[in-house]
Amino acid sequence: MTHQPNVLRGLDLRAEIDRLRKDRNAVILAHYYQKPEIQDIADFVGDSLDLSRKAQATDADVIAFCGVRFMAETAKILSPQKIVVLPDMDAGCSLEDSCPPDQFAAFRSAHPDHIALTYINCSAAVKALSDVIVTSSSAETILAKLPADQKIIFGPDKNLGGYLARKTGRDMLLWPGVCIVHEAFSETELLKLQLLHPGAPIAAHPECPAVILDHADYVGSTRGILEFAQSFPGDTLIVATEPHIIHQMERVLPNKHFIGAPGADGNCNCNICPYMALNTMEKLYAALRDLEPRIEIEEGLRLKAKKSLDAMLSMASATIGQGDLGPARVTGD
Ligand code: 13P
Ligand code: SF4
């Protein structure tokens, strides 16, 4: 159910959020796909792996998670003693929806000699059924640590799984889920855009289908794409991922030009994640004020899900600190 904040007319939301953050001893964590005003007020902005690490390491009493539900659940699994609020509890994910736990359990049972390497974009119940969780920035590092003859199920993103299989030569059984946002990019429109910007490289997230990734000069996580934006030699970059990430690029590189890759009609908003967009400043304010909506996870389930997340955090250690753009700003400290 969507949490309905009170009418907030007349309130200085930034100042109120700042006041509540201090009163509550709260930390505001935000994903790069959040609205610019949320990224700007967050204590830390990051990709899925870095946000998990921050959630685990923080000594705040409250985590206000500006992202989607599986991310806030991850924070709660790793930091059960903290209050974790998500401004809008309806902020789900099409990848999570594509992988119901009962069907995933049946898939696992049908392949008892395979381990389940699972993308973090899934429910706590699917994490509990998995052996190792990966994010897009840690998947290759973790895959390289698994024996070459180890049979692997990869879910729920068939595009990320397919990309990893092509890149590493590993044969993996793929769960057929997709991200509706990254599926919506159009190859035809992308090529038309490249003609308008000759020489402009394309940076793409591995949740994109192969037909888009085949044109990319760089493929990587949101953090990886930000690193590429800092190092590519030209002045224009085409960005094939959720366009709110461009806010961080423009903040750090105001003299460069960043263009979001187009969707099917060349001019749609279909690449804005509708789930991420549910979080607003008003709802963030209300979440800090009311300490609701709160993530709660049954303890038995939490402990099972934590095992596969712990495996990720220890196996992904090699990806620490690779060119992070750093916190987007912190007000008041
Ligand atoms: P990363 O930030 O880990 O690249 O993941 C992107 C994503 O799918 C968020 O939903
Ligand atoms: Fe899920 Fe895609 Fe939105 Fe990320 S961008 S939260 S993968 S629907």
Side-chain angles (χ1 to χ4, degrees):
M1 199 184 73
T2 304
H3 184 68
Q4 294 291 343
N6 293 342
V7 175
L8 301 169
R9 214 169 282 148
L11 274 186
D12 178 345
L13 278 178
R14 282 191 62 95
E16 285 299 305
I17 289 170
D18 223 21
R19 178 181 66 75
L20 285 167
R21 159 171 40 207
K22 288 182 192 122
D23 287 357
R24 300 290 195 200
N25 186 26
V27 64
I28 301 172
L29 303 182
H31 189 265
Y32 293 122
Y33 297 166
Q34 290 290 284
K35 296 177 193 351
E37 59 270 30
I38 292 182
Q39 293 189 38
D40 287 347
I41 205 164
D43 294 287
F44 180 80
V45 187
D47 73 356
S48 307
L49 181 64
D50 293 330
L51 289 168
S52 306
R53 287 176 171 144
K54 282 282 167 193
Q56 191 182 40
T58 181
D59 56 8
D61 296 319
V62 175
I63 299 173
F65 209 113
C66 299
V68 290
R69 200 173 47 238
F70 76 79
M71 296 178 175
E73 278 184 357
T74 298
K76 185 68 182 176
I77 292 165
L78 295 172
S79 285
Q81 72 288 3
K82 297 184 185 10
I83 293 172
V84 179
V85 290
L86 178 65
D88 192 317
M89 206 47 104
D90 287 342
C93 170
S94 66
L95 280 168
E96 176 180 343
D97 293 346
S98 77
C99 194
D102 56 334
Q103 291 176 27
F104 189 70
F107 188 59
R108 280 224 67 175
S109 302
H111 303 96
D113 51 346
H114 288 59
I115 64 161
L117 196 63
T118 306
Y119 194 27
I120 197 166
N121 298 35
C122 64
S123 63
V126 167
K127 287 184 177 76
L129 291 164
S130 302
D131 296 294
V132 187
I133 298 300
V134 300
T135 64
S136 47
S137 57
S138 61
E140 270 184 70
T141 304
I142 291 173
L143 202 46
K145 291 182 179 168
L146 298 176
D149 59 352
Q150 175 64 60
K151 292 182 178 166
I152 299 169
I153 286 171
F154 187 91
D157 187 359
K158 69 170 186 184
N159 288 333
L160 173 60
Y163 170 73
L164 290 167
R166 290 191 299 281
K167 188 156 183 206
T168 65
R170 300 290 292 241
D171 185 21
M172 300 191 288
L173 276 180
L174 304 182
W175 183 267
V178 293
C179 161
I180 52 168
V181 171
H182 290 84
E183 272 288 297
F185 290 116
S186 155
E187 181 189 21
T188 309
E189 296 301 326
L190 184 62
L191 294 178
K192 282 199 236 167
L193 185 67
Q194 254 198 326
L195 284 178
L196 294 175
H197 302 278
I202 297 172
H205 196 280
E207 288 176 15
C208 293
V211 72
I212 298 294
L213 297 180
D214 284 348
H215 297 289
D217 298 277
Y218 175 81
V219 177
S221 72
T222 50
R223 187 206 328 154
I225 290 173
L226 286 166
E227 289 168 5
F228 183 76
Q230 287 180 304
S231 63
F232 80 100
D235 60 7
T236 301
L237 178 65
I238 298 173
V239 181
T241 192
E242 213 275 3
H244 285 111
I245 194 174
I246 291 176
H247 177 61
Q248 288 298 323
M249 298 174 183
E250 291 174 341
R251 184 182 70 83
V252 178
L253 300 157
N255 297 323
K256 295 211 175 194
H257 188 208
F258 301 101
I259 309 170
D265 70 359
N267 192 26
C268 67
N269 277 337
C270 44
N271 305 112
I272 290 181
C273 175
Y275 307 103
M276 291 275 182
L278 287 173
N279 294 325
T280 61
M281 290 286 276
E282 288 79 3
K283 291 178 196 170
L284 172 58
Y285 162 76
L288 283 167
R289 182 193 61 195
D290 304 340
L291 296 181
E292 294 285 348
R294 232 180 250 205
I295 301 283
E296 304 288 1
I297 299 174
E298 188 273 319
E299 185 61 7
L301 173 62
R302 185 189 75 79
L303 289 173
K304 281 189 197 147
K306 187 171 180 295
K307 275 192 183 169
S308 57
L309 278 167
D310 283 344
M312 171 186 81
L313 290 168
S314 67
M315 292 176 81
S317 53
T319 64
I320 285 174
Q322 285 178 356
D324 188 357
L325 282 187
R329 135 13 228 169
V330 189
T331 46
D333 66 9

